[in-house]
Amino acid sequence: MRILIEGLAQACGYELECMAKLFFQAERMPGEKVEGGCPEVPEEFLYANGELLERKAEENRYRLMVRLRILDRGSGELADSSAEREVSCPEETVQKTFEFHLGKMTYDLLGKATGIKPPWGILTGVRPVKLVQRCLSQGMGEEETAAYFRDRYVSQEKIALAMETARCQRPILERVTPRSYSLYISIPFCPSRCSYCSFVSHSIEKAAKLVEPYVELLCRELEVIARLAEELSLELASVYMGGGTPTTLSARQMERVTDTISRCFPLDRALEYTIEAGRPDTIDREKLEVMRAAGVNRISINPQTLNDQVLAAVGRRHSSQDVLDAIDMARQVGFDNINCDLIAGLSGETPESFRDSLDRLIQDGPENITVHTLSVKRAARLRQEGDYLEAVHNPAAPMVEYAQKALGKGGYHPYYLYRQRDTLGNLENTGYCKPGREGYYNVYIMEEAQTILAAGAGATTKLKDPFSTYIERVFNYKYPYEYIERFADILDRKGQVRGFYERIFNT
Ligand code: SF4
């Protein structure tokens, strides 16, 4: 489906394109935007035209009109409708006000044409809780902040979720100092590729030769980062090793990395040290003992579902019992802060089987349970060869709703939340935890609250100006083979970190 945008609507072309995607299933997603209309009307299109019908500038009043046409091959002509609205605003905010109201009018028309009510309303951003935090820090009270979200058509349930999440984050965000940072370490290898995954992880079978040189260079990069952080007087807040699946490394390779971290970074001052153990088929007692001895105090063991048929269908080579056994083993080794991820909407999952997974997990009692909604990105195997249509039509909403209620009853509260593109039902991912077990790194990265210094392939360093919202990014090469071949470039780019902090602190 092509999206044709004319007139005033061009001013909010990008927003309009993102918003249109809220109303269409991924297989008919509007793409290929054409601004200024199209001489040849394509077979399938979404057309939006915005006009200023009347202007009474001396009274600061304007009358706007939006016309919307949708031609969809599947459903025929879905809409040819229009809406008008009078708005008033001072001259200096005309553009913003027009964009906002044109967006809302288009949203209303799309909603009427499709019968869909996106739970996050016109919000298309990844970080709705950051928006709550911004409203509150600008002096808006909770009621005023809720009204701001209502005005953007966010549902009452999602407003409540975002507000509660924001409240839980406050004490964690208050610990951020101008020089604090978190360290991220990327291990981009997995035992096999899950069907829904678009991550740049390499299956260990195909990439076995790369692991050893990768670990060596990763340790060198960590040494350089540690020296830089010390010279710039940066303060380590948290450490997070993710991927991929870090426990794809052997116990000896894991020890090599954790030893480097212990030797180079002041771990005694860090609030948290997490390793994403990820898949139970990569976890054994020896690796858990290595991590524990290194001071790791939080791990993730991610079932995604406890439905064995679904696990097999998405390409996981382990059973639900393996997950529960791995959690048990981690407890025996001494881990008392464990996270488990679940995914709502996996192909073959039903609301009942999801409920069963969640209930069993709550009974097992990990300190964190993170509920993701399935997001099938372009690069995922499922999108190319799997039963994609079945996947995108799986209703995740009842699963997500159940999770919110059941976890609340089970003594968990939400503490971080984010949205992704191409997520079923435009739903969110939410991290829940028992009181006092919030994952610091998750909050810092999602709220973009502090600098993240990142090491490894595919990792991105995010330099956060503590006195503004400005963020500068330094990218590492995406794939392990590039990272290994062009490692000298990676080290060269560290100069950007030094330059950034010297500018910020005028040193
Ligand atoms: S374990 Fe995670 S990162 Fe690895 S393939 Fe599966 S979803 Fe992707």
Side-chain angles (χ1 to χ4, degrees), residues 207-241:
K209 278 203 310 279
L210 299 178
V211 180
E212 202 57 42
Y214 181 83
V215 166
E216 280 314 305
L217 293 177
L218 179 67
C219 291
R220 275 179 53 197
E221 191 187 1
L222 285 166
E223 285 165 4
V224 171
I225 292 174
R227 263 200 309 277
L228 197 53
E230 198 183 338
E231 283 165 22
L232 294 167
S233 306
L234 302 184
E235 297 151 8
L236 182 65
S238 74
V239 179
Y240 192 101
M241 194 189 298

Side-chain angles (χ1 to χ4, degrees), residues 34 36-42:
V34 185
C38 177
E40 284 169 46
V41 172

Side-chain angles (χ1 to χ4, degrees), residues 83-335:
E84 288 182 28
R85 175 177 297 188
E86 191 169 286
V87 302
S88 68
C89 62
E91 185 63 35
E92 58 277 17
T93 65
V94 160
Q95 193 180 338
K96 269 195 148 224
T97 308
F98 280 14
E99 279 176 30
F100 178 61
H101 286 284
L102 288 166
K104 275 181 79 165
M105 288 154 79
T106 312
Y107 179 96
D108 284 335
L109 293 173
L110 280 162
K112 277 185 197 133
T114 60
I116 290 172
K117 238 179 150 186
W120 289 96
I122 62 170
L123 297 187
T124 53
V126 170
R127 300 179 168 83
V129 181
K130 194 173 176 186
L131 213 49
V132 176
Q133 299 291 13
R134 195 180 305 156
C135 290
L136 296 173
S137 67
Q138 284 168 0
M140 286 164 70
E142 289 210 355
E143 194 31 58
E144 206 182 338
T145 303
Y148 173 92
F149 276 75
R150 268 196 300 276
D151 194 31
R152 282 150 183 82
Y153 302 132
V154 180
S155 75
Q156 201 47 47
E157 293 72 36
K158 299 304 174 200
I159 295 175
L161 179 65
M163 300 287 277
E164 189 183 356
T165 307
R167 251 178 253 126
C168 295
Q169 288 181 347
R170 281 258 133 167
I172 295 169
L173 293 173
E174 279 163 10
R175 299 185 81 143
V176 173
T177 65
R179 288 185 188 266
S180 68
Y181 76 100
S182 287
L183 175 67
Y184 177 79
I185 305 118
S186 160
I187 308 290
F189 304 103
C190 285
S192 62
R193 183 92 179 258
C194 303
S195 65
Y196 53 83
C197 181
S198 63
F199 194 72
V200 287
S201 75
H202 277 43
S203 134
I204 197 76
E205 286 152 12
K206 290 191 189 148
K209 278 203 310 279
L210 299 178
V211 180
E212 202 57 42
Y214 181 83
V215 166
E216 280 314 305
L217 293 177
L218 179 67
C219 291
R220 275 179 53 197
E221 191 187 1
L222 285 166
E223 285 165 4
V224 171
I225 292 174
R227 263 200 309 277
L228 197 53
E230 198 183 338
E231 283 165 22
L232 294 167
S233 306
L234 302 184
E235 297 151 8
L236 182 65
S238 74
V239 179
Y240 192 101
M241 194 189 298
T245 306
T247 38
T248 317
L249 300 183
S250 67
R252 195 191 53 75
Q253 289 161 339
M254 176 64 80
E255 195 165 30
R256 171 91 179 87
V257 180
T258 52
D259 277 357
T260 305
I261 295 170
S262 307
R263 180 166 48 78
C264 300
F265 291 88
L267 286 177
D268 53 331
R269 290 184 227 150
L271 299 163
E272 172 187 276
Y273 185 176
T274 298
I275 293 187
E276 239 181 88
R279 292 166 52 158
D281 45 342
T282 61
I283 299 172
D284 61 29
R285 186 174 286 271
E286 196 186 356
K287 290 182 202 176
L288 288 169
E289 279 167 355
V290 165
M291 294 189 278
R292 194 73 196 119
V296 174
N297 52 22
R298 183 175 181 275
I299 56 168
S300 269
I301 298 173
N302 299 327
Q304 317 300 20
T305 173
L306 290 177
N307 179 330
D308 285 326
Q309 278 168 336
V310 177
L311 280 173
V314 298
R316 293 243 167 180
R317 297 175 187 162
H318 62 81
S319 68
S320 56
Q321 191 56 47
D322 293 336
V323 177
L324 301 174
D325 291 347
I327 296 174
D328 204 35
M329 197 194 299
R331 294 238 182 267
Q332 288 167 22
V333 170
F335 286 100

